Amino acid sequence: MNLGRGINFGNALDALDGGPRLPLEHRYFDAVAAAGFDTVRLPARWSAHAAAAPPYTVDPAFFRRVDAGVAAALDRGLQVVLNVHHYSELCAAPEEHRPRFLALWRQIAVHYAGHDNRLCFELLNEPRDALTADRWNTLLAEALAVVRDACPERTVIVGAAEMNSPDALPALAVPDDDHLVATVHYYAPFAFTHQNAGWVPGAERWLGRGWGGPADEDAVRDDLARVAEWGRDRGLPVFLGEFGAFSAAGMASRARWTAFVRTEAERLGLSWAYWEFGTDFGAFDPELAAWREPLRRALLGR
């Protein structure tokens, strides 16, 4: 499955308490489709809307919210990546939360079993902490088997531990499956892309850092070339599922970095989804109901 050019609707179905929040309005899907994107990634915080005890039932009201987002995208000809996002409890205590995680995927897979194959699943956003590579490889295979019981041919996206870092790809055990896509997230250099990000201790020290020049470009080339080579060696498509620079960075540098990462990804045959549509990394300004033109041009090249 070629996911092409995508954008994340972050901070909507995955919003954290007290964080920025994006309402999933139809006009936003209209804007994405009209701009020329191919895919919407819908991060969803299922763990905040499911029972804590077996059978770990997902709240029907949350399913309806997710259904509305999926339908809005598909109705506009967009592909959809639907994931499990912000399941921090699983990353902190994998054995304790394993049954609940598998139960979530059992419900999700059954619920969407009859949907268009333009909808694909991403098993877990950014596994980390106690969910080490070995533990994640085991759990990943178990979750994929659960999905395959209901959806034998749906595209499933898998990423490595250590927050989907490109450096962690060699430790990812890819199951034998004909309908897989690998994913990585890319935010390098972190001191540029996350300057003054409130959730990163000390990030205010990075304020004013720019990006550009031969050394910066070579670093991106090298990083993404390793990702592409890993995928080629395994005959596996690779999806750059997140990349973006926080709004505190200067717009000229944000646009340069975004354009360079995007063009390198495309040159190497990687599909991608920018992080994100309309909040603190946003390429779109909801208040003005307009794209931030430097970022739109950086992403779409026109």
PDB file of all heavy atoms in Angstrom, residues 244-276:
ATOM      1  N   GLY A 244       8.109  16.923  11.937  1.00  0.00           N
ATOM      2  CA  GLY A 244       7.598  18.289  12.050  1.00  0.00           C
ATOM      3  C   GLY A 244       8.456  19.097  12.994  1.00  0.00           C
ATOM      4  O   GLY A 244       9.276  18.556  13.740  1.00  0.00           O
ATOM      5  N   ALA A 245       8.274  20.401  12.984  1.00  0.00           N
ATOM      6  CA  ALA A 245       9.011  21.307  13.863  1.00  0.00           C
ATOM      7  C   ALA A 245       8.018  22.172  14.629  1.00  0.00           C
ATOM      8  O   ALA A 245       7.081  22.722  14.045  1.00  0.00           O
ATOM      9  CB  ALA A 245       9.982  22.179  13.063  1.00  0.00           C
ATOM     10  N   PHE A 246       8.232  22.286  15.923  1.00  0.00           N
ATOM     11  CA  PHE A 246       7.355  23.021  16.826  1.00  0.00           C
ATOM     12  C   PHE A 246       7.269  24.499  16.436  1.00  0.00           C
ATOM     13  O   PHE A 246       8.208  25.071  15.875  1.00  0.00           O
ATOM     14  CB  PHE A 246       7.894  22.858  18.250  1.00  0.00           C
ATOM     15  CG  PHE A 246       7.002  23.391  19.330  1.00  0.00           C
ATOM     16  CD1 PHE A 246       5.730  22.888  19.515  1.00  0.00           C
ATOM     17  CD2 PHE A 246       7.457  24.378  20.180  1.00  0.00           C
ATOM     18  CE1 PHE A 246       4.916  23.379  20.527  1.00  0.00           C
ATOM     19  CE2 PHE A 246       6.660  24.873  21.197  1.00  0.00           C
ATOM     20  CZ  PHE A 246       5.373  24.370  21.373  1.00  0.00           C
ATOM     21  N   SER A 247       6.154  25.105  16.778  1.00  0.00           N
ATOM     22  CA  SER A 247       5.855  26.468  16.326  1.00  0.00           C
ATOM     23  C   SER A 247       6.821  27.519  16.858  1.00  0.00           C
ATOM     24  O   SER A 247       6.893  28.623  16.309  1.00  0.00           O
ATOM     25  CB  SER A 247       4.431  26.845  16.731  1.00  0.00           C
ATOM     26  OG  SER A 247       4.264  26.742  18.137  1.00  0.00           O
ATOM     27  N   ALA A 248       7.583  27.213  17.916  1.00  0.00           N
ATOM     28  CA  ALA A 248       8.519  28.204  18.456  1.00  0.00           C
ATOM     29  C   ALA A 248       9.720  28.422  17.545  1.00  0.00           C
ATOM     30  O   ALA A 248      10.406  29.443  17.644  1.00  0.00           O
ATOM     31  CB  ALA A 248       8.995  27.782  19.848  1.00  0.00           C
ATOM     32  N   ALA A 249       9.998  27.487  16.666  1.00  0.00           N
ATOM     33  CA  ALA A 249      11.102  27.667  15.710  1.00  0.00           C
ATOM     34  C   ALA A 249      10.718  28.722  14.682  1.00  0.00           C
ATOM     35  O   ALA A 249       9.536  28.921  14.367  1.00  0.00           O
ATOM     36  CB  ALA A 249      11.413  26.349  15.016  1.00  0.00           C
ATOM     37  N   GLY A 250      11.708  29.412  14.145  1.00  0.00           N
ATOM     38  CA  GLY A 250      11.445  30.413  13.124  1.00  0.00           C
ATOM     39  C   GLY A 250      10.825  29.789  11.885  1.00  0.00           C
ATOM     40  O   GLY A 250      11.236  28.707  11.458  1.00  0.00           O
ATOM     41  N   MET A 251       9.861  30.459  11.308  1.00  0.00           N
ATOM     42  CA  MET A 251       9.121  29.879  10.187  1.00  0.00           C
ATOM     43  C   MET A 251      10.023  29.590   8.992  1.00  0.00           C
ATOM     44  O   MET A 251       9.853  28.561   8.313  1.00  0.00           O
ATOM     45  CB  MET A 251       7.970  30.794   9.770  1.00  0.00           C
ATOM     46  CG  MET A 251       7.148  30.262   8.593  1.00  0.00           C
ATOM     47  SD  MET A 251       6.448  28.594   8.881  1.00  0.00           S
ATOM     48  CE  MET A 251       4.993  29.027   9.844  1.00  0.00           C
ATOM     49  N   ALA A 252      10.977  30.448   8.707  1.00  0.00           N
ATOM     50  CA  ALA A 252      11.839  30.208   7.550  1.00  0.00           C
ATOM     51  C   ALA A 252      12.616  28.903   7.723  1.00  0.00           C
ATOM     52  O   ALA A 252      12.713  28.092   6.790  1.00  0.00           O
ATOM     53  CB  ALA A 252      12.794  31.385   7.348  1.00  0.00           C
ATOM     54  N   SER A 253      13.146  28.667   8.912  1.00  0.00           N
ATOM     55  CA  SER A 253      13.882  27.434   9.165  1.00  0.00           C
ATOM     56  C   SER A 253      12.942  26.231   9.200  1.00  0.00           C
ATOM     57  O   SER A 253      13.294  25.144   8.715  1.00  0.00           O
ATOM     58  CB  SER A 253      14.648  27.531  10.482  1.00  0.00           C
ATOM     59  OG  SER A 253      15.792  28.352  10.356  1.00  0.00           O
ATOM     60  N   ARG A 254      11.765  26.408   9.794  1.00  0.00           N
ATOM     61  CA  ARG A 254      10.788  25.305   9.802  1.00  0.00           C
ATOM     62  C   ARG A 254      10.459  24.881   8.371  1.00  0.00           C
ATOM     63  O   ARG A 254      10.398  23.677   8.070  1.00  0.00           O
ATOM     64  CB  ARG A 254       9.489  25.733  10.497  1.00  0.00           C
ATOM     65  CG  ARG A 254       9.555  25.870  11.982  1.00  0.00           C
ATOM     66  CD  ARG A 254       8.245  26.391  12.529  1.00  0.00           C
ATOM     67  NE  ARG A 254       7.196  25.376  12.520  1.00  0.00           N
ATOM     68  CZ  ARG A 254       5.888  25.650  12.686  1.00  0.00           C
ATOM     69  NH1 ARG A 254       5.484  26.910  12.820  1.00  0.00           N
ATOM     70  NH2 ARG A 254       5.016  24.670  12.689  1.00  0.00           N
ATOM     71  N   ALA A 255      10.220  25.847   7.513  1.00  0.00           N
ATOM     72  CA  ALA A 255       9.863  25.527   6.134  1.00  0.00           C
ATOM     73  C   ALA A 255      11.033  24.870   5.398  1.00  0.00           C
ATOM     74  O   ALA A 255      10.828  23.911   4.641  1.00  0.00           O
ATOM     75  CB  ALA A 255       9.405  26.792   5.408  1.00  0.00           C
ATOM     76  N   ARG A 256      12.258  25.362   5.627  1.00  0.00           N
ATOM     77  CA  ARG A 256      13.430  24.747   4.979  1.00  0.00           C
ATOM     78  C   ARG A 256      13.593  23.298   5.404  1.00  0.00           C
ATOM     79  O   ARG A 256      13.800  22.412   4.576  1.00  0.00           O
ATOM     80  CB  ARG A 256      14.706  25.531   5.325  1.00  0.00           C
ATOM     81  CG  ARG A 256      15.012  26.697   4.428  1.00  0.00           C
ATOM     82  CD  ARG A 256      16.440  27.168   4.576  1.00  0.00           C
ATOM     83  NE  ARG A 256      16.768  27.537   5.953  1.00  0.00           N
ATOM     84  CZ  ARG A 256      16.560  28.752   6.467  1.00  0.00           C
ATOM     85  NH1 ARG A 256      16.022  29.711   5.713  1.00  0.00           N
ATOM     86  NH2 ARG A 256      16.876  29.022   7.711  1.00  0.00           N
ATOM     87  N   TRP A 257      13.516  23.064   6.715  1.00  0.00           N
ATOM     88  CA  TRP A 257      13.675  21.697   7.244  1.00  0.00           C
ATOM     89  C   TRP A 257      12.568  20.786   6.720  1.00  0.00           C
ATOM     90  O   TRP A 257      12.822  19.673   6.268  1.00  0.00           O
ATOM     91  CB  TRP A 257      13.664  21.744   8.768  1.00  0.00           C
ATOM     92  CG  TRP A 257      13.814  20.409   9.442  1.00  0.00           C
ATOM     93  CD1 TRP A 257      14.994  19.794   9.767  1.00  0.00           C
ATOM     94  CD2 TRP A 257      12.771  19.534   9.880  1.00  0.00           C
ATOM     95  NE1 TRP A 257      14.742  18.589  10.385  1.00  0.00           N
ATOM     96  CE2 TRP A 257      13.386  18.408  10.459  1.00  0.00           C
ATOM     97  CE3 TRP A 257      11.376  19.599   9.839  1.00  0.00           C
ATOM     98  CZ2 TRP A 257      12.660  17.338  11.000  1.00  0.00           C
ATOM     99  CZ3 TRP A 257      10.640  18.547  10.364  1.00  0.00           C
ATOM    100  CH2 TRP A 257      11.274  17.438  10.938  1.00  0.00           C
ATOM    101  N   THR A 258      11.332  21.259   6.766  1.00  0.00           N
ATOM    102  CA  THR A 258      10.189  20.458   6.325  1.00  0.00           C
ATOM    103  C   THR A 258      10.313  20.100   4.851  1.00  0.00           C
ATOM    104  O   THR A 258      10.104  18.944   4.452  1.00  0.00           O
ATOM    105  CB  THR A 258       8.878  21.219   6.581  1.00  0.00           C
ATOM    106  OG1 THR A 258       8.758  21.480   7.983  1.00  0.00           O
ATOM    107  CG2 THR A 258       7.676  20.425   6.107  1.00  0.00           C
ATOM    108  N   ALA A 259      10.649  21.081   4.036  1.00  0.00           N
ATOM    109  CA  ALA A 259      10.795  20.825   2.600  1.00  0.00           C
ATOM    110  C   ALA A 259      11.921  19.841   2.329  1.00  0.00           C
ATOM    111  O   ALA A 259      11.792  18.949   1.473  1.00  0.00           O
ATOM    112  CB  ALA A 259      11.035  22.134   1.857  1.00  0.00           C
ATOM    113  N   PHE A 260      13.024  19.974   3.057  1.00  0.00           N
ATOM    114  CA  PHE A 260      14.164  19.091   2.800  1.00  0.00           C
ATOM    115  C   PHE A 260      13.860  17.658   3.221  1.00  0.00           C
ATOM    116  O   PHE A 260      14.152  16.702   2.489  1.00  0.00           O
ATOM    117  CB  PHE A 260      15.412  19.606   3.514  1.00  0.00           C
ATOM    118  CG  PHE A 260      16.661  18.948   3.011  1.00  0.00           C
ATOM    119  CD1 PHE A 260      17.274  19.395   1.852  1.00  0.00           C
ATOM    120  CD2 PHE A 260      17.211  17.860   3.669  1.00  0.00           C
ATOM    121  CE1 PHE A 260      18.409  18.773   1.357  1.00  0.00           C
ATOM    122  CE2 PHE A 260      18.349  17.237   3.192  1.00  0.00           C
ATOM    123  CZ  PHE A 260      18.950  17.686   2.027  1.00  0.00           C
ATOM    124  N   VAL A 261      13.262  17.492   4.403  1.00  0.00           N
ATOM    125  CA  VAL A 261      12.902  16.140   4.852  1.00  0.00           C
ATOM    126  C   VAL A 261      11.898  15.523   3.889  1.00  0.00           C
ATOM    127  O   VAL A 261      12.031  14.362   3.476  1.00  0.00           O
ATOM    128  CB  VAL A 261      12.339  16.172   6.285  1.00  0.00           C
ATOM    129  CG1 VAL A 261      11.802  14.793   6.681  1.00  0.00           C
ATOM    130  CG2 VAL A 261      13.402  16.619   7.282  1.00  0.00           C
ATOM    131  N   ARG A 262      10.916  16.298   3.490  1.00  0.00           N
ATOM    132  CA  ARG A 262       9.894  15.767   2.577  1.00  0.00           C
ATOM    133  C   ARG A 262      10.482  15.354   1.235  1.00  0.00           C
ATOM    134  O   ARG A 262      10.210  14.260   0.728  1.00  0.00           O
ATOM    135  CB  ARG A 262       8.797  16.826   2.389  1.00  0.00           C
ATOM    136  CG  ARG A 262       7.580  16.345   1.610  1.00  0.00           C
ATOM    137  CD  ARG A 262       7.655  16.637   0.120  1.00  0.00           C
ATOM    138  NE  ARG A 262       7.788  18.045  -0.180  1.00  0.00           N
ATOM    139  CZ  ARG A 262       7.982  18.522  -1.404  1.00  0.00           C
ATOM    140  NH1 ARG A 262       8.107  17.692  -2.447  1.00  0.00           N
ATOM    141  NH2 ARG A 262       8.101  19.819  -1.620  1.00  0.00           N
ATOM    142  N   THR A 263      11.312  16.215   0.641  1.00  0.00           N
ATOM    143  CA  THR A 263      11.857  15.892  -0.676  1.00  0.00           C
ATOM    144  C   THR A 263      12.825  14.708  -0.607  1.00  0.00           C
ATOM    145  O   THR A 263      12.854  13.873  -1.510  1.00  0.00           O
ATOM    146  CB  THR A 263      12.544  17.109  -1.321  1.00  0.00           C
ATOM    147  OG1 THR A 263      13.533  17.626  -0.427  1.00  0.00           O
ATOM    148  CG2 THR A 263      11.543  18.202  -1.634  1.00  0.00           C
ATOM    149  N   GLU A 264      13.607  14.620   0.468  1.00  0.00           N
ATOM    150  CA  GLU A 264      14.493  13.465   0.628  1.00  0.00           C
ATOM    151  C   GLU A 264      13.684  12.180   0.796  1.00  0.00           C
ATOM    152  O   GLU A 264      14.012  11.139   0.230  1.00  0.00           O
ATOM    153  CB  GLU A 264      15.422  13.656   1.831  1.00  0.00           C
ATOM    154  CG  GLU A 264      16.656  14.435   1.519  1.00  0.00           C
ATOM    155  CD  GLU A 264      17.505  13.775   0.442  1.00  0.00           C
ATOM    156  OE1 GLU A 264      18.075  12.687   0.680  1.00  0.00           O
ATOM    157  OE2 GLU A 264      17.594  14.350  -0.662  1.00  0.00           O
ATOM    158  N   ALA A 265      12.626  12.247   1.596  1.00  0.00           N
ATOM    159  CA  ALA A 265      11.777  11.068   1.779  1.00  0.00           C
ATOM    160  C   ALA A 265      11.213  10.606   0.438  1.00  0.00           C
ATOM    161  O   ALA A 265      11.259   9.410   0.103  1.00  0.00           O
ATOM    162  CB  ALA A 265      10.655  11.377   2.761  1.00  0.00           C
ATOM    163  N   GLU A 266      10.709  11.534  -0.341  1.00  0.00           N
ATOM    164  CA  GLU A 266      10.140  11.166  -1.638  1.00  0.00           C
ATOM    165  C   GLU A 266      11.205  10.648  -2.595  1.00  0.00           C
ATOM    166  O   GLU A 266      10.966   9.685  -3.334  1.00  0.00           O
ATOM    167  CB  GLU A 266       9.398  12.365  -2.227  1.00  0.00           C
ATOM    168  CG  GLU A 266       8.149  12.725  -1.441  1.00  0.00           C
ATOM    169  CD  GLU A 266       7.373  13.890  -2.022  1.00  0.00           C
ATOM    170  OE1 GLU A 266       7.909  14.598  -2.912  1.00  0.00           O
ATOM    171  OE2 GLU A 266       6.230  14.107  -1.584  1.00  0.00           O
ATOM    172  N   ARG A 267      12.376  11.254  -2.581  1.00  0.00           N
ATOM    173  CA  ARG A 267      13.464  10.788  -3.449  1.00  0.00           C
ATOM    174  C   ARG A 267      13.828   9.341  -3.142  1.00  0.00           C
ATOM    175  O   ARG A 267      14.165   8.554  -4.046  1.00  0.00           O
ATOM    176  CB  ARG A 267      14.683  11.689  -3.281  1.00  0.00           C
ATOM    177  CG  ARG A 267      15.834  11.372  -4.228  1.00  0.00           C
ATOM    178  CD  ARG A 267      17.030  12.272  -3.976  1.00  0.00           C
ATOM    179  NE  ARG A 267      17.663  12.006  -2.696  1.00  0.00           N
ATOM    180  CZ  ARG A 267      18.533  11.017  -2.477  1.00  0.00           C
ATOM    181  NH1 ARG A 267      18.863  10.191  -3.468  1.00  0.00           N
ATOM    182  NH2 ARG A 267      19.087  10.850  -1.296  1.00  0.00           N
ATOM    183  N   LEU A 268      13.729   8.977  -1.870  1.00  0.00           N
ATOM    184  CA  LEU A 268      14.098   7.637  -1.424  1.00  0.00           C
ATOM    185  C   LEU A 268      12.934   6.646  -1.474  1.00  0.00           C
ATOM    186  O   LEU A 268      13.097   5.479  -1.112  1.00  0.00           O
ATOM    187  CB  LEU A 268      14.645   7.707   0.008  1.00  0.00           C
ATOM    188  CG  LEU A 268      15.982   8.441   0.158  1.00  0.00           C
ATOM    189  CD1 LEU A 268      16.237   8.806   1.614  1.00  0.00           C
ATOM    190  CD2 LEU A 268      17.125   7.592  -0.390  1.00  0.00           C
ATOM    191  N   GLY A 269      11.760   7.118  -1.904  1.00  0.00           N
ATOM    192  CA  GLY A 269      10.615   6.221  -2.024  1.00  0.00           C
ATOM    193  C   GLY A 269       9.844   5.993  -0.748  1.00  0.00           C
ATOM    194  O   GLY A 269       9.086   5.008  -0.635  1.00  0.00           O
ATOM    195  N   LEU A 270       9.999   6.893   0.230  1.00  0.00           N
ATOM    196  CA  LEU A 270       9.269   6.784   1.492  1.00  0.00           C
ATOM    197  C   LEU A 270       7.967   7.588   1.406  1.00  0.00           C
ATOM    198  O   LEU A 270       7.970   8.740   0.968  1.00  0.00           O
ATOM    199  CB  LEU A 270      10.098   7.327   2.661  1.00  0.00           C
ATOM    200  CG  LEU A 270      11.547   6.861   2.792  1.00  0.00           C
ATOM    201  CD1 LEU A 270      12.200   7.523   4.001  1.00  0.00           C
ATOM    202  CD2 LEU A 270      11.628   5.345   2.896  1.00  0.00           C
ATOM    203  N   SER A 271       6.863   6.996   1.833  1.00  0.00           N
ATOM    204  CA  SER A 271       5.645   7.782   2.032  1.00  0.00           C
ATOM    205  C   SER A 271       5.779   8.528   3.354  1.00  0.00           C
ATOM    206  O   SER A 271       6.654   8.234   4.169  1.00  0.00           O
ATOM    207  CB  SER A 271       4.421   6.878   2.030  1.00  0.00           C
ATOM    208  OG  SER A 271       4.525   5.869   3.022  1.00  0.00           O
ATOM    209  N   TRP A 272       4.886   9.517   3.602  1.00  0.00           N
ATOM    210  CA  TRP A 272       5.079  10.339   4.795  1.00  0.00           C
ATOM    211  C   TRP A 272       3.773  10.969   5.261  1.00  0.00           C
ATOM    212  O   TRP A 272       2.804  11.089   4.507  1.00  0.00           O
ATOM    213  CB  TRP A 272       6.129  11.433   4.543  1.00  0.00           C
ATOM    214  CG  TRP A 272       5.881  12.322   3.342  1.00  0.00           C
ATOM    215  CD1 TRP A 272       6.429  12.178   2.098  1.00  0.00           C
ATOM    216  CD2 TRP A 272       5.007  13.478   3.260  1.00  0.00           C
ATOM    217  NE1 TRP A 272       5.969  13.170   1.261  1.00  0.00           N
ATOM    218  CE2 TRP A 272       5.104  13.979   1.947  1.00  0.00           C
ATOM    219  CE3 TRP A 272       4.175  14.120   4.162  1.00  0.00           C
ATOM    220  CZ2 TRP A 272       4.384  15.106   1.523  1.00  0.00           C
ATOM    221  CZ3 TRP A 272       3.461  15.246   3.744  1.00  0.00           C
ATOM    222  CH2 TRP A 272       3.573  15.720   2.445  1.00  0.00           C
ATOM    223  N   ALA A 273       3.785  11.391   6.537  1.00  0.00           N
ATOM    224  CA  ALA A 273       2.679  12.174   7.106  1.00  0.00           C
ATOM    225  C   ALA A 273       3.269  13.216   8.049  1.00  0.00           C
ATOM    226  O   ALA A 273       3.957  12.876   9.019  1.00  0.00           O
ATOM    227  CB  ALA A 273       1.690  11.280   7.853  1.00  0.00           C
ATOM    228  N   TYR A 274       2.998  14.469   7.758  1.00  0.00           N
ATOM    229  CA  TYR A 274       3.517  15.571   8.565  1.00  0.00           C
ATOM    230  C   TYR A 274       2.806  15.621   9.921  1.00  0.00           C
ATOM    231  O   TYR A 274       1.590  15.395  10.021  1.00  0.00           O
ATOM    232  CB  TYR A 274       3.295  16.896   7.818  1.00  0.00           C
ATOM    233  CG  TYR A 274       3.741  18.109   8.594  1.00  0.00           C
ATOM    234  CD1 TYR A 274       5.090  18.416   8.710  1.00  0.00           C
ATOM    235  CD2 TYR A 274       2.811  18.957   9.195  1.00  0.00           C
ATOM    236  CE1 TYR A 274       5.504  19.536   9.417  1.00  0.00           C
ATOM    237  CE2 TYR A 274       3.216  20.075   9.905  1.00  0.00           C
ATOM    238  CZ  TYR A 274       4.563  20.357  10.027  1.00  0.00           C
ATOM    239  OH  TYR A 274       4.967  21.453  10.732  1.00  0.00           O
ATOM    240  N   TRP A 275       3.572  15.920  10.978  1.00  0.00           N
ATOM    241  CA  TRP A 275       3.002  16.200  12.297  1.00  0.00           C
ATOM    242  C   TRP A 275       3.011  17.707  12.517  1.00  0.00           C
ATOM    243  O   TRP A 275       4.068  18.281  12.689  1.00  0.00           O
ATOM    244  CB  TRP A 275       3.794  15.503  13.409  1.00  0.00           C
ATOM    245  CG  TRP A 275       3.108  15.673  14.734  1.00  0.00           C
ATOM    246  CD1 TRP A 275       3.270  16.701  15.624  1.00  0.00           C
ATOM    247  CD2 TRP A 275       2.115  14.811  15.294  1.00  0.00           C
ATOM    248  NE1 TRP A 275       2.444  16.543  16.708  1.00  0.00           N
ATOM    249  CE2 TRP A 275       1.729  15.385  16.526  1.00  0.00           C
ATOM    250  CE3 TRP A 275       1.508  13.625  14.874  1.00  0.00           C
ATOM    251  CZ2 TRP A 275       0.753  14.793  17.348  1.00  0.00           C
ATOM    252  CZ3 TRP A 275       0.561  13.040  15.692  1.00  0.00           C
ATOM    253  CH2 TRP A 275       0.195  13.620  16.914  1.00  0.00           C
ATOM    254  N   GLU A 276       1.892  18.363  12.526  1.00  0.00           N
ATOM    255  CA  GLU A 276       0.559  17.857  12.362  1.00  0.00           C
ATOM    256  C   GLU A 276      -0.303  18.931  11.723  1.00  0.00           C
ATOM    257  O   GLU A 276       0.227  19.939  11.286  1.00  0.00           O
ATOM    258  CB  GLU A 276      -0.042  17.371  13.692  1.00  0.00           C
ATOM    259  CG  GLU A 276       0.246  18.230  14.940  1.00  0.00           C
ATOM    260  CD  GLU A 276      -0.441  19.559  15.030  1.00  0.00           C
ATOM    261  OE1 GLU A 276      -1.641  19.657  14.653  1.00  0.00           O
ATOM    262  OE2 GLU A 276       0.160  20.528  15.457  1.00  0.00           O
TER     263      GLU A 276
END
